[in-house]
Amino acid sequence: MKSLPLIAAAAAALLSLSACKNEPEVVDSIAKDPLAEQMKNAPKAELPPAVESSVSFRCQPGNKLLYVDFFQGGKMAVLKKEKDGAPTMLNAPEAGQPFVGADGSKITGNAKAATISVAGAAPVTCKA
């Protein structure tokens, strides 16, 4: 009869342990990103275009030099009056149309030949 309480105690112990899961508890020290859902649904960022060609133009009349960087896509160019001078950003609404700057500068043409109007000056004909 002494073994009956011992068997009952062992059965109770086994029954209580059978409810436990044998999986380790995962502890993560990295906080959840509060913007993760917004970033997942955000539109992809568009990189700025790369420089397609950097051109030194010889322009007439006056035999002066102008420097232009044409960007890929044909919608953006940077004009400089001097090699290390201040750049003027010019944009075209569509590829193949003239580039126009906020200061009134304008480039019509391409990297081989162009007509360039620097703000406040008469247009000049330029060749690379």
Side-chain angles (χ1 to χ4, degrees):
M1 284 275 170
K2 284 187 169 186
S3 64
L4 186 62
L6 186 59
I7 293 174
L14 285 174
L15 186 61
S16 66
L17 288 176
S18 67
C20 294
K21 293 182 180 178
N22 193 15
E23 295 177 7
E25 181 181 353
V26 177
V27 179
D28 190 3
S29 64
I30 300 173
K32 300 287 184 205
D33 184 3
L35 300 176
E37 192 63 32
Q38 289 177 357
M39 294 303 292
K40 187 171 79 172
N41 296 329
K44 298 290 180 192
E46 184 177 330
L47 295 174
V51 174
E52 188 172 81
S53 62
S54 292
V55 182
S56 299
F57 281 114
R58 177 71 62 182
C59 303
Q60 301 299 332
N63 201 32
K64 66 192 222 176
L65 286 171
L66 292 174
Y67 304 91
V68 179
D69 292 331
F70 290 97
F71 291 82
Q72 288 180 345
K75 293 184 178 182
M76 191 167 74
V78 173
L79 171 66
K80 294 186 276 186
K81 295 184 234 179
E82 300 166 359
K83 188 163 182 85
D84 296 325
T88 301
M89 182 72 67
L90 296 104
N91 294 301
E94 293 294 326
Q97 293 186 358
F99 301 95
V100 180
D103 65 351
S105 297
K106 184 176 180 180
I107 299 174
T108 304
N110 55 36
K112 295 183 181 188
T115 300
I116 301 176
S117 300
V118 178
V124 291
T125 304
C126 306
K127 292 184 180 180

